[in-house]
Structures are given as C-alpha cells and as structure tokens.
Amino acid sequence: MLIINPSNPCGSVYSHDHLAQIAETAGELGILIIADEVYDHLAFGDKPFIPMGVFGKTAPVITLGAISKRWLVPGWRLGWIATCDPNGILKETKVDQSIQNYINITSDPATFIQGAVPQIIANTKEEYFNKILDLLRTSADLCYGKIKGIRGITCPHKPEGSMFVMAKLDLSCLDGFSDDIDFCCKLAKEESVIVLPGSALGMKDWLRITFAIDLVSLEDGLERLNSFCERHAKV
C-alpha cells in the first residue's frame, strides 16, 4: 500500500486517526506500507505531520525521504529509504535485502552533493525552515482564495502541506475546450501560464497548480488564469 503524506498533488495532510486506520487495514491484509514522506516537514495547516513509521508494529513500513523539498534543492536528486519493522517481517521475507541489492546497482548522486549533505543537515538553522513554512502558508492561502473567484474552476480542499493543490475544471462553464489538456495548452499559449493537466495524474478535467513561487508571480499568474477563463466563459 502506497501512502503519500503530505500529499502531492492534493496538498492534504492525514490525521493520526486516519493513518492508524490505514495501518490497521494493511495489517489485516498482511501487506506492507510504502510511505512517501518527501514533504514531511512541509505541513503548514492545522494538522501536524505524523510519520507512518509510528505504526510499524501494526504493519511494516518503508519510508521514502529526500533532501530536495525541505531544503529547496529540487535538482539535488538525493533521497533515502528507512524501514520501521519492529516485528522483523521485512527481514524474515528478505525485503530489506532486496532493497540493499537494488541500491547497489543504481548510480550514486554527484560527489559534491554527497559531501555537502552532512553539513546541510547538521547546520541548517530552524529559522530557515520556519520561514519556508510561513511563505508556503501565505502562498497557499492566496492561491486558494484567488481560485474561488475564477469562473469554471473550484478548489474543494485548501492545501495544508506540500507545494501543490488540485482544482476541478468545469468545462460546462467554458467555451472552446475539449478537455483539461486542451485547456492547459491554450492557457500556456495565450497567457504564458503553465499548469499541469490532471490527466497526467489520472484525474481528467482537473488542474494541478503549484504555489511554491514568489507571491507577486503567483498573484500575476492567477490573475492571468482568471482573465483567460473570463475570456472563454460561456454567455
């Protein structure tokens, strides 16, 4: 079972009770949990981030993490795999050995990144992370508020983490679009605004919007999106 928390692309953060129910279900089914927690320190809403590993006694957990998001270095493709398996299920089934074997055949990150990581993890001050969370919280509020005023687009869930939000595209309110891909292509051509069509994520007629940019650019992009929808609105 794969869990992405905080979520890309929805911006949701799961509660302790919800994660506990997921772990109980996995335990009953006799399956392991793969927890993608790349955005673990980018939860800025009311719900605190709860690592899936705390439920390791209920079901074995393999946690995926990376340096790219919390430290804002997306080009540094360096991550890690951690297991939480107090009952020894992964060891007994040799899943842990399979993980080690796979790591041994993959290419390593650049040496300068490997050399920098210990210093980055040990010496980055807490003020840096707090500033990032404040910026993301402000930009998420701006994004959510602006989307509510755009015709043909609704945002059912205010983002509480990560850097993205999903918005529902109602093409019945708009004219001249066949689907979300067509909408995004014409938006890019007419307004130079890039959003990801939901079809790329298996969510037809949805849009994935990132708010991890400076507030001026974000507001300008959302204003262009609004102008685009007004121009193509059905009379």
Side-chain angles (χ1 to χ4, degrees):
M1 184 183 298
L2 173 63
I3 303 298
I4 304 173
N5 180 48
S7 171
N8 170 11
C10 297
S12 56
V13 176
Y14 295 142
S15 68
H16 183 281
D17 290 344
H18 184 65
L19 293 172
Q21 291 176 12
I22 291 174
E24 290 172 4
T25 300
E28 292 171 359
L29 294 173
I31 59 177
L32 61 84
I33 297 173
I34 300 175
D36 181 342
E37 297 179 355
V38 170
Y39 292 95
D40 55 354
H41 289 88
L42 298 183
F44 45 80
D46 295 331
K47 297 191 194 78
F49 166 74
I50 306 296
M52 197 71 212
V54 303
F55 305 103
K57 287 186 177 181
T58 306
V61 177
I62 297 175
T63 299
L64 310 180
I67 195 173
S68 59
K69 306 305 180 185
R70 189 187 187 197
W71 282 269
L72 300 183
V73 282
W76 289 27
R77 313 310 293 176
L78 188 146
W80 51 83
I81 300 174
T83 61
C84 185
D85 182 34
N87 297 323
I89 296 174
L90 298 180
K91 184 175 182 180
E92 181 181 348
T93 56
K94 298 184 179 180
V95 172
D96 58 344
Q97 186 62 51
S98 296
I99 294 174
Q100 291 183 36
N101 292 340
Y102 175 76
I103 292 174
N104 289 335
I105 65 174
T106 60
S107 58
D108 294 323
T111 53
F112 79 89
I113 295 177
Q114 296 183 52
V117 165
Q119 292 295 324
I120 291 173
I121 292 178
N123 298 325
T124 305
K125 296 181 179 179
E126 196 65 28
E127 291 82 0
Y128 173 78
F129 302 122
N130 292 335
K131 182 179 179 180
I132 292 173
L133 288 178
D134 288 341
L135 288 171
L136 288 174
R137 186 180 299 111
T138 300
S139 60
D141 289 343
L142 172 64
C143 188
Y144 180 73
K146 289 288 186 180
I147 290 175
K148 288 195 296 184
I150 300 177
R151 185 182 305 190
I153 300 177
T154 56
C155 185
H157 174 75
K158 185 177 180 179
E160 299 175 306
S162 79
M163 302 174 178
F164 306 99
V165 65
M166 293 300 293
K168 176 64 175 174
L169 185 60
D170 184 2
L171 294 178
S172 67
C173 299
L174 304 170
D175 193 22
F177 305 111
S178 57
D179 55 22
D180 55 317
I181 297 176
D182 187 31
F183 178 92
C184 291
C185 289
K186 290 177 179 176
L187 174 64
K189 183 177 181 179
E190 295 182 24
E191 295 289 348
S192 297
V193 172
I194 307 297
V195 297
L196 183 71
S199 293
L201 303 167
M203 300 176 67
K204 182 177 173 59
D205 292 339
W206 285 75
L207 307 171
R208 190 189 77 164
I209 301 173
T210 180
F211 47 84
I213 58 175
D214 66 272
L215 292 177
V216 174
S217 297
L218 177 61
E219 188 164 15
D220 178 56
L222 292 169
E223 289 293 342
R224 294 187 186 202
L225 176 59
N226 181 57
S227 298
F228 178 76
C229 290
E230 288 295 329
R231 192 163 61 250
H232 290 275
K234 288 184 177 178
V235 179

